[in-house]
Amino acid sequence: MDVRVIRYDHPDARKLDEEVQVEYAERYDGVGDLTHMDAAHFDPPHGLYLIVYDTDGTPVASGGWRSQERSDEGYEDGDAEIKRMFVVRAARGRGLARRILAALEDSAREAGRLRMVLETGTEQPEAIALYTSSGYTPVTKFGFYRFEESSRCYGKLLTDATDATGTAGAASLTDGFTDGLTDTARKMPSVRP
């Protein structure tokens, strides 16, 4: 696996975004995600966008976070909002989403964010299972879909997962996940397998 920090407007990011929008439309009565997204939202140090490439160079998974502060949409100061977590169907079941999630948490923690938050929906039970099994708990609804009945919002404090040095630990990811990371991504603290 080759993990790269990519801008959200990169052609591979757009390709994966188109695929996730099709899946959203299949699950939510023909409607994709209408949340406003801008490539600059994911620019470090105020965000990060990752793409995982398979051994043949095909983009197979993505995920990003963007900084949020207290707003009328229900965000809190210090939030890092997860967006566009997605694994193509052919690459599911290999632990890619969990690994991306851990890398995003480390990056947000390193950037001084206090809490990871995300919005998903009732038609994505596998996403809900991933987040709850990773320590996320329900939070007050926020964001574009906060008034939708099918919307589910989760959060996880980032400050309680650090050791005495303020980093998440020194062990690297397994299965070659960090092989091929760009220099920017290599500076992110490694996560425990």
Side-chain angles (χ1 to χ4, degrees), residues 64-108:
W65 69 267
R66 60 184 183 172
S67 295
Q68 296 286 2
E69 303 299 338
R70 184 178 303 276
S71 73
D72 292 341
E73 287 193 346
Y75 297 101
E76 297 293 332
D77 289 340
D79 280 352
E81 181 185 21
I82 297 171
K83 296 300 294 180
R84 295 303 184 260
M85 284 286 293
F86 179 66
V87 178
V88 299
R89 288 181 174 134
R92 291 179 185 166
R94 296 172 16 190
L96 298 178
R98 191 168 302 279
R99 293 176 180 158
I100 290 172
L101 181 60
L104 294 176
E105 289 174 357
D106 281 350
S107 169

Side-chain angles (χ1 to χ4, degrees), residues 1 3 11 22 29 37 56 59 65 87 110 144 159 178:
M1 291 295 136
V3 184
V22 168
D29 299 324
M37 304 280 282
D56 66 359
W65 69 267
V87 178
E110 184 177 86
F144 186 80
T159 55
T178 56

Side-chain angles (χ1 to χ4, degrees), residues 96-172:
L96 298 178
R98 191 168 302 279
R99 293 176 180 158
I100 290 172
L101 181 60
L104 294 176
E105 289 174 357
D106 281 350
S107 169
R109 185 180 297 110
E110 184 177 86
R113 297 281 91 191
L114 303 175
R115 179 178 78 147
M116 293 297 281
V117 296
L118 65 101
E119 187 272 335
T120 189
T122 56
E123 300 305 310
Q124 295 168 265
E126 60 282 290
I128 292 170
L130 167 70
Y131 296 123
T132 57
S133 70
S134 298
Y136 287 76
T137 57
V139 296
T140 303
K141 286 185 177 183
F142 60 85
F144 186 80
Y145 293 101
R146 65 191 177 280
F147 301 117
E148 297 291 327
E149 187 175 327
S150 64
S151 172
R152 298 295 182 268
C153 293
Y154 295 88
K156 178 179 178 179
L157 291 178
L158 294 173
T159 55
D160 64 355
T162 59
D163 62 24
T165 65
T167 62
S172 64

